[in-house]
Amino acid sequence: MLDLNSIKKAYERVQGIVHRTPFSYAPILSQMSGYEVYLKKENLQRTGAFKLRGAFNKIASLVESGEKGGVVAASAGNHAQGVAFSAKHFGIDATIVMPESTPLTKVQGVKEFGATVILHGGNYDEAYAYAVTFAKENNYNFVHPFTDEEVMAGQGTVTLEMFEEVDDLDALVVPVGGGGLISGMGVAAKALNPQIKIVGVSAQGAPAMKNSYDAKQPLDTTSVRTIADGIAVRDTSAITLEYILKNVDSFKSVGEDEIASAILFLLEKQKVLVEGAGAVGVAALLHGKLDLPKGSKIGVVLSGGNIDVTMLSLIIEKGLMKSSRKMKLMVTLVDKPGALQSFTQILTDVGANIVQIGYDRTSIDLKFGDAHVSVALETKGEEHQALIREKLKESGFSFKEEH
């Protein structure tokens, strides 16, 4: 049974295994949002995410009950690393089934803990179906990432740590995919303080649990598409939904651009690197999604930090464009000596730094005697970009902007 006692027992099991991650005040985010915000940095957890807590508690309970066989899990990465680490700790075999689209960093992270990795399916649910069959065929114990009360109890230990440091929180803001984290945290929080508000946040591209919460019954979706791969769950768990309906006071969702902006905000302003799933709570804060009283003391869970560097690079690039700190132009020049120098001199005069440049005189859409120059510039905001456009037009240059 999932209750405060089972969560306290899980807390005893994970002592010395999981890191007690920082739970720190976020002054800039507090000022921007109008709340008193504290960030629980599970992105700094031993395997890069909170999932280690639940996986370790589950496997420890299996070992305590005398189970000695291997374990199998299905995961997009964070639960996989938690299971792999825990299995290695207890000296048992672990096989992890991961979707074929799983970022390389997460696949490598699992293998480093000695687990066998099988890539199967286009999403978590397809990997899950294969993993369940594999476990039955090989007589292994299947460790579910969220529909398991021992796993949920392990995740609930996040709340215990938060309350030990800040015992008068008004609300918790928690990422939601399958619902294991918010189920465990919600049970613990409501037992310790029945008045606390629990807010779940999901990605709009993975709406199953929010739709189910709104309808008060399990509703599955046909597909998921989100950069928050850690919460990209297609089907709703009736078990976690029951806990969520009992303890969660409100449920919000955030879009892809909002998640990306939160990742960039945390990187720039908080010096914290999180993955998409870890950023959804901050995204809800930054974009005014919460309806809590101003001044409320809020604990926000940064659930993981295992972001693929390719995705991070894309988020940074798009973020620089949206914030007018980068500008891309396609300029048409007369293909003659000195023309390119005249163009770059304008950029020099207005203080725009060229970070990339290309010269093309062969495209079929060019008139004979013309050339295209593609250029990426570092700029200093909207006013600076407006000045660049103005000076180019004054000098007679024809150009298009790329967005």
Side-chain angles (χ1 to χ4, degrees), residues 71-137:
V71 293
V72 177
S75 170
N78 291 332
H79 178 62
Q81 292 189 58
V83 171
F85 177 94
S86 303
K88 183 177 181 179
H89 176 85
F90 288 107
I92 60 179
D93 293 332
T95 300
I96 311 297
V97 184
M98 309 180 82
E100 294 169 359
S101 60
T102 301
L104 180 61
T105 52
K106 293 187 177 182
V107 175
Q108 290 175 334
V110 172
K111 289 182 177 180
E112 286 171 3
F113 292 123
T116 300
V117 175
I118 299 173
L119 297 177
H120 183 90
N123 54 44
Y124 162 75
D125 298 280
E126 292 175 4
Y128 166 79
Y130 181 84
V132 170
T133 301
F134 183 90
K136 289 179 180 178
E137 291 175 348

Side-chain angles (χ1 to χ4, degrees), residues 210-227:
K210 184 179 188 308
N211 291 346
S212 301
Y213 178 86
D214 293 340
K216 295 183 170 48
Q217 62 178 344
L219 298 174
D220 297 337
T221 52
T222 56
S223 63
V224 293
R225 184 175 180 180
T226 175
I227 60 173

Side-chain angles (χ1 to χ4, degrees), residues 276-356:
V280 295
V282 171
L285 274 175
L286 289 175
H287 295 91
K289 298 293 181 78
L290 304 185
D291 49 12
L292 299 166
K294 289 300 179 182
S296 295
K297 187 175 289 188
I298 300 174
V300 182
V301 182
L302 307 181
S303 58
N306 294 319
I307 188 169
D308 182 64
V309 291
T310 303
M311 176 59 70
L312 180 61
S313 175
L314 183 61
I315 289 170
I316 292 172
E317 181 77 8
K318 289 190 173 185
L320 291 174
M321 294 285 288
K322 288 184 178 180
S323 60
S324 300
R325 287 177 287 173
K326 193 167 185 179
M327 186 180 197
K328 292 183 179 180
L329 299 173
M330 177 69 77
V331 182
T332 303
L333 305 177
V334 177
D335 186 23
K336 66 177 184 180
L340 181 59
Q341 183 180 358
S342 298
F343 167 62
T344 57
Q345 185 61 51
I346 293 172
L347 301 178
T348 300
D349 293 342
V350 297
N353 186 39
I354 298 173
V355 293
Q356 185 177 357

Side-chain angles (χ1 to χ4, degrees), residues 230-249:
I231 54 175
V233 178
R234 186 188 66 188
D235 298 335
T236 299
S237 162
I239 295 174
T240 55
L241 177 62
E242 183 178 351
Y243 286 109
I244 289 170
L245 290 174
K246 182 178 180 181
N247 295 311
V248 174
D249 297 282

